[in-house]
């Protein structure tokens, strides 16, 4: 079964053979099956990485979400967001 990984759908063995032909070489059915297997194994690794929880390091200092600077602090629109991390050296 062909499953999408991050929007990538692996090519079928027939598609692999057509792609090979575009570059002027031929794949046997056995070779196309072999390369399809390699693609599936690689995409399975990507699937697994996508399933893992994103690591979130523990914050050593209290944090807030910050805020946009006041217009008088940012007359030229140079800041997007303002924050402070107290305790960091």
């Amino acid at each position: 079964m062909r499953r999408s990984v991050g929007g990538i759908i692996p090519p079928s063995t027939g598609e692999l053979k057509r792609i090979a032909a575009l570059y002027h070489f031929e794949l046997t059915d056995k070779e196309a099956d072999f390369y399809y297997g390699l693609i599936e194994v690689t995409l399975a690794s990507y699937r697994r990485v996508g399933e893992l929880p994103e690591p979130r390091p523990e914050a050593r200092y209290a944090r807030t979400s910050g805020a946009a600077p006041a217009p008088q602090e940012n007359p030229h629109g140079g800041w997007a967001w303002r924050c402070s991390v107290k305790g960091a050296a």
Side-chain angles (χ1 to χ4, degrees):
M1 178 177 164
R2 295 175 6 159
R3 291 182 9 193
S4 171
V5 175
I8 299 171
I9 298 173
S12 67
T13 54
E15 289 168 329
L16 285 173
K17 291 174 89 169
R18 282 191 294 280
I19 292 166
L22 290 173
Y23 293 95
H24 307 287
F25 66 95
E26 291 181 25
L27 290 178
T28 64
D29 289 341
K30 186 175 180 179
E31 290 169 329
D33 288 340
F34 174 77
Y35 286 115
Y36 181 81
L38 287 179
I39 293 168
E40 276 295 307
V41 169
T42 301
L43 290 180
S45 297
Y46 290 139
R47 277 186 208 99
R48 179 64 185 125
V49 169
E51 293 167 356
L52 296 173
E54 187 173 332
R56 301 217 177 219
E58 186 177 323
R60 295 186 298 175
Y61 306 103
R63 298 177 182 205
T64 66
S65 60
Q72 62 270 25
E73 294 178 300
N74 192 23
H76 302 293
W79 291 355
W81 209 247
R82 184 176 181 163
C83 67
S84 175
V85 181
K86 296 187 185 206

